[in-house]
Amino acid sequence: MFDPLAELSALDQRVLCDLAAQYPVKLTLEPSTAGLPLWQLLIERLQLSATLAQTLMVRGAIWINSVRVNDPLAEAPPAGELVVHTPPAGLYANPIITPAEIMFEDEWILVLNKPAAWYSVATPWDTFGHLEGALARFFLQRDGEAVPFHLVHRLDHGTSGALIVSKNPILNSRFQRMFNEGRVEKTYLALASGVPTWNDLEVVTGHSRGEHGLWSVYPEAMIDQLYGPKDRRVRRAHTSFTVRAKGTQAALLAARLHTGRTHQIRLHALHVGHPLVGDQRYGGITQLGNLIVKEQLLHAAWLQFPHPRYGSTLELTAPVPNLWHEVGAAVGLDLQAEFVQTGNPAP
């Protein structure tokens, strides 16, 4: 049986990296190839091995006319456009859940410390190498049966930290109410570029997509208004920042969310002039001496919420990844401090 998670040969890996450098790879489908198995079409048109062609197919990297096709027996239609979505830098992720990632678990819920490199859900290039897929494989291997789990919330790729997983469908709506009512308290740690002159700051802005589809902030006066040619509504976004420590080129911030908008902390950090270290999208510094940081240093450090079944209060702290200590040393910050490792880092 074909294993889509099997490691690619060195040659196939080089070919995949070459494809990623050409992203997106597009093929025009014609009547002459109608009925040809798609994996065979990929072999002929892109000079791929059978293994790499099947890997792309089964992992969900092939799209025809904007629809994902991951049936290994699928055939080419007589017309349309085929797009190959390759993973960034040509490297597939194969996350594995271990006891080291699990912060809390009982029969109802699981809370884990998500590594920054993991995607929470499927991507256009991969339906296997993400947190949901890793959890499904973990439960099946450990428990011998599938668990009807649900990610209660998500963390962006590049963001690490505490993430709640429901293990029973009857809890999903309860968690949704808890989030809507503000009973799930979350505090993030963020390494911000530069050194703020303030110690505490409340940031309230509008939040919506811009004309080119990118997330952006808007003046507070525009909240609840429709904006742009697509009449996108501007939503309220509110973040509380507290400076926990100051270094030479960066500062450690605690960020508490009062709303849950996409990229909210990253956008608000940029808005106040201190984009997150490693945040290439929003202009954060990415090089500190010889150290290169390619992802935003944002970590969901602390969670507090009532257990959805028993009502008892759960308070959990997720240790920061090792990279943070390397960056901290480079900018003169002691991230071994007690408030990073234990207790409530909330402002």
Side-chain angles (χ1 to χ4, degrees), residues 216-251:
S216 185
V217 297
Y218 294 87
E220 189 175 356
M222 292 182 63
I223 292 173
D224 289 331
Q225 294 183 13
L226 298 178
Y227 173 78
K230 295 186 178 181
D231 282 340
R232 293 188 173 102
R233 186 170 298 279
V234 177
R235 305 292 185 184
R236 185 175 186 271
H238 179 191
T239 307
S240 298
F241 286 117
T242 296
V243 177
R244 302 306 302 248
K246 295 181 180 181
T248 54
Q249 296 174 262

Side-chain angles (χ1 to χ4, degrees), residues 250-271:
L252 179 67
L253 308 181
R256 185 156 184 188
L257 292 173
H258 301 278
T259 54
R261 309 303 178 200
T262 302
H263 295 181
Q264 179 175 318
I265 293 174
R266 298 164 65 186
L267 284 165
H268 277 176
L270 171 64
H271 181 66

Side-chain angles (χ1 to χ4, degrees), residues 70-92:
N70 54 6
D71 179 358
L73 302 179
E75 298 178 346
E81 181 180 67
L82 182 151
V83 178
V84 182
H85 287 275
T86 50
L91 300 173
Y92 271 116

Side-chain angles (χ1 to χ4, degrees), residues 4-5 58-61 68 70 87 91-98 101 112 114-139 149 151 154-157 163 165:
L5 298 176
V58 176
R59 293 193 76 137
R68 193 196 301 267
N70 54 6
L91 300 173
Y92 271 116
N94 292 321
I96 299 174
I97 304 290
T98 69
E101 282 83 41
L112 57 81
K114 182 186 90 71
W118 293 6
Y119 290 89
S120 291
V121 296
T123 60
W125 56 87
D126 196 3
T127 58
F128 282 85
H130 49 81
L131 177 57
E132 281 190 332
L135 279 168
R137 294 187 291 274
F138 169 75
F139 286 130
F149 70 90
L151 301 188
R154 300 179 187 178
L155 295 175
D156 291 339
H157 177 259
L163 189 147
V165 180

